[in-house]
Amino acid sequence: MYAIYGPYILLVAVVIASLFAFNRDLVSTTQCRIMIIGAGALALVWTAILGGIWLEYR
C-alpha cells in the first residue's frame, strides 16, 4: 500500500526541501527547478502506471 503513495510523498518532500533551501540561499533556482520537475515527472509517470494497471484489472 505504501508503494502507491511513495512518489507523491517524495514530490511533497522535494518541494518543501527546495523551498526551504531556496529561501536560505543554499541552492540555485536551476537546482530547485530540476528537483521539482524531476519529482513531479516521477509522480506523473507513477500515476500513469497505476492508471494502466487499474484499467487492466477493472
Side-chain angles (χ1 to χ4, degrees), residues 22-42:
F22 183 71
N23 287 335
R24 301 263 188 206
D25 290 332
L26 299 174
V27 295
S28 69
T29 304
T30 305
Q31 289 172 323
C32 286
R33 287 182 185 160
I34 290 171
M35 289 188 294
I36 291 172
I37 290 170
L42 174 66

Side-chain angles (χ1 to χ4, degrees), residues 10-26:
L10 174 66
L11 175 61
V12 170
V14 165
V15 168
I16 292 170
S18 295
L19 292 174
F20 176 78
F22 183 71
N23 287 335
R24 301 263 188 206
D25 290 332
L26 299 174

